[in-house]
Amino acid sequence: MTQPIPAGTLTGRTALVTGSSRGIGADTARYLAEGGANVVINFRNKAPRAEKLAAQLRELGVEVLVVGADLTDEASVAAMMAAVKETFGALDLLVLNASGGMESGMGEDYALVLNRDAQLNVLDAALPLLPDGGRVVFVTSHQAHFIRTTPTMPEYEPVALSKRAGEDALRERIPALAEQGVGFVVVSGDMIEGTITATLLERANPGAIAGRRESAGKLYNVSEFAAEVALASVEPIPADNTRLVGDVSSFGGE
């Protein structure tokens, strides 16, 4: 893994990455720690994996807090933010990475509850901790970001619609965040090879990943996309608050 953020860039700052016990979230947390940030690792049910990551990041000389929290439960989120406040006092960077909706056995509206309602709740709970100069990063996919103009696979459509609803709801907060001196940026990427979502899509629609790879020319892997998410925490925010990662030529306008 390359190191996208130079060591020391984030020294003294604290970052919370939701859903960071594995995958894109874990690699994003690692990149931020390599840049010097203290890190809050959030997980829902992968405690051993989260603790293993925390041990690795502490070897970089940063402080790491591991907090289990169900983002769809307000009390759980409030307890997580209380732990962050007690440990670090403030939160400079909030990366809204956790998402889902393709899991089996969840309620019919679970995708919307997690990908829209929970995202807003986490932001609201974090706001009192975000200082002037803080930043919020929302992670999404091209299939969700462009869902209004470009159809996606039927298996993914409910998730895509819910993630776009979450993005829209968060964007409505941009003026209020700006008043507080907090920046906001959406990071949208194509299908990411090696993610759980890609695996589930491939299972439901065999050949989907290979087809998209051929169409796009290249698909980012987990560590490559996580590097872009990490960079979104330090690089200037685009005028449209959107960082597009990878090919978008086959997607229509928003």
Side-chain angles (χ1 to χ4, degrees), residues 8 17 73-74 78 88 99 104 117 119-120 130 132 156-157 161 172 180:
V17 184
D73 182 273
E74 289 191 20
F88 297 112
S99 65
S104 59
D117 302 346
Q119 307 299 319
L120 288 173
L130 286 165
D132 188 347
Y156 189 64
E157 186 172 315
L161 289 169
E172 290 179 4
Q180 193 170 317

Side-chain angles (χ1 to χ4, degrees), residues 24-160:
I24 293 166
D27 279 1
T28 299
R30 190 185 307 278
Y31 288 134
L32 296 174
E34 288 176 347
N38 298 319
V39 176
V40 182
I41 298 172
N42 158 249
F43 69 95
R44 188 178 65 182
N45 54 17
K46 301 290 182 184
R49 196 176 295 182
E51 292 291 355
K52 181 179 179 181
L53 175 63
Q56 294 170 352
L57 300 190
R58 290 185 183 113
E59 292 178 0
L60 299 171
V62 301
E63 288 187 62
V64 183
L65 175 67
V66 179
V67 187
D70 178 353
L71 302 187
T72 65
D73 182 273
E74 289 191 20
S76 186
V77 171
M80 176 170 67
M81 294 305 174
V84 173
K85 182 176 182 180
E86 181 179 350
T87 304
F88 297 112
L91 184 64
D92 301 281
L93 174 64
L94 173 64
V95 180
L96 296 169
N97 165 73
S99 65
M102 292 191 69
E103 301 88 343
S104 59
M106 308 304 282
E108 186 178 338
D109 62 346
Y110 178 70
L112 200 58
V113 169
L114 176 59
N115 297 329
R116 182 194 64 189
D117 302 346
Q119 307 299 319
L120 288 173
N121 181 47
V122 172
L123 175 59
D124 288 342
L127 271 180
L129 301 177
L130 286 165
D132 188 347
R135 186 171 297 193
V136 178
V137 177
F138 177 68
V139 181
T140 190
S141 66
H142 292 346
Q143 288 74 19
H145 181 70
F146 294 104
I147 188 61
R148 291 203 196 95
T149 58
T150 308
T152 188
M153 288 170 280
E155 298 86 358
Y156 189 64
E157 186 172 315
V159 176

Side-chain angles (χ1 to χ4, degrees), residues 186-204:
V186 171
V187 182
S188 177
D190 209 326
M191 283 186 192
I192 309 300
E193 301 212 46
T195 61
I196 293 171
T197 297
T199 300
L200 292 173
L201 281 172
E202 185 69 21
R203 193 177 299 161

